[in-house]
Amino acid sequence: MKLNITIDLDDLYTEYDDYENGTSLNDIILSDLKNQVTRELKTLLGDDIKSMKDQVLKIVQEEIIKISDTKIPIIAKEIISETFFNSDYKVKKYGDEFTVKEYVEGIITKKDQLAKESVESYLDSLSKKNLDEMKKTADVHFKSIKDKYDLLFASQIVTKLGEKGMLKEDVAKLLLDN
């Protein structure tokens, strides 16, 4: 017995054509092949791609650091000089207005009376704060020492009175326990 089977590929091909969405069997096969090849490449080259990404990232970061190390001071200097050292920006001290440049020069050279007064007033306020803190700390320690001394003195008096028989024995014990 002999069986002859004939397959008409035109019918099979037209069955899988989806004319409504614009996809054909060729498109489906190509898409599937593309996905399989992409998956295989990712599994084969996955670690290599990650290491290459890390190397590229490191190189880019180093280049950015090199560029920023030279550019940031220049940009900062321009911004500071434009903002603070122009004649429009003024500092008020003791009712007088000074440009920042005049004020800083006065502090640096210490020729200006304003700078001298400014520094002296800062040091005075700093020493007053330190003196107040030292007084508070000393008061706390003194009170603690005084309380300890008073307790020791009182316990010695009670002990001596008890030894001389001037207090009843139970009273001396009660006072010493407290």
Side-chain angles (χ1 to χ4, degrees):
M1 169 157 131
K2 190 174 183 184
L3 185 64
N4 287 333
I5 299 176
T6 306
I7 299 175
D8 188 8
L9 293 177
D10 286 336
D11 292 337
L12 182 67
Y13 184 75
T14 56
E15 284 180 23
Y16 288 102
D17 281 346
D18 187 3
Y19 293 112
E20 293 173 10
N21 291 331
T23 59
S24 64
L25 185 60
N26 283 340
D27 293 338
I28 294 171
I29 292 171
L30 286 174
S31 175
D32 188 45
L33 282 174
K34 179 180 165 186
N35 289 337
Q36 286 180 2
V37 169
T38 304
R39 228 178 295 124
E40 289 295 321
L41 282 174
K42 282 183 181 179
T43 57
L44 290 174
L45 301 175
D47 294 334
D48 294 335
I49 290 174
K50 186 178 184 315
S51 67
M52 286 186 334
K53 281 182 182 178
D54 293 340
Q55 289 175 354
V56 169
L57 181 63
K58 184 178 177 183
I59 291 169
V60 168
Q61 286 174 340
E62 289 173 356
E63 289 299 316
I64 289 172
I65 289 171
K66 284 179 189 176
I67 293 169
S68 65
D69 283 346
T70 58
K71 298 287 184 183
I72 287 178
I74 295 168
I75 294 169
K77 182 178 177 183
E78 289 174 3
I79 290 172
I80 290 171
S81 65
E82 286 176 12
T83 304
F84 295 111
F85 292 108
N86 65 15
S87 59
D88 296 337
Y89 194 82
K90 302 278 185 180
V91 175
K92 287 187 178 184
K93 275 295 195 185
Y94 306 111
D96 294 329
E97 284 189 356
F98 300 94
T99 64
V100 175
K101 185 176 181 180
E102 293 170 346
Y103 185 70
V104 171
E105 285 174 352
I107 290 175
I108 291 173
T109 59
K110 295 186 181 179
K111 292 179 183 175
D112 193 322
Q113 185 62 28
L114 172 65
K116 184 178 177 185
E117 289 174 2
S118 217
V119 170
E120 287 175 354
S121 67
Y122 173 73
L123 292 175
D124 286 343
S125 69
L126 187 62
S127 63
K128 285 178 185 177
K129 288 179 187 176
N130 288 340
L131 186 61
D132 290 342
E133 287 179 23
M134 287 173 39
K135 282 181 182 178
K136 288 178 186 175
T137 305
D139 288 343
V140 168
H141 288 299
F142 179 73
K143 183 176 178 345
S144 172
I145 291 171
K146 183 182 176 296
D147 290 344
K148 288 178 183 177
Y149 176 77
D150 289 346
L151 183 62
L152 178 65
F153 184 72
S155 66
Q156 286 179 353
I157 289 175
V158 170
T159 303
K160 294 293 180 183
L161 288 174
E163 287 175 358
K164 300 292 180 184
M166 299 178 92
L167 287 176
K168 289 186 178 180
E169 194 173 312
D170 293 339
V171 173
K173 285 183 182 177
L174 286 172
L175 288 174
L176 287 176
D177 288 341
N178 289 335

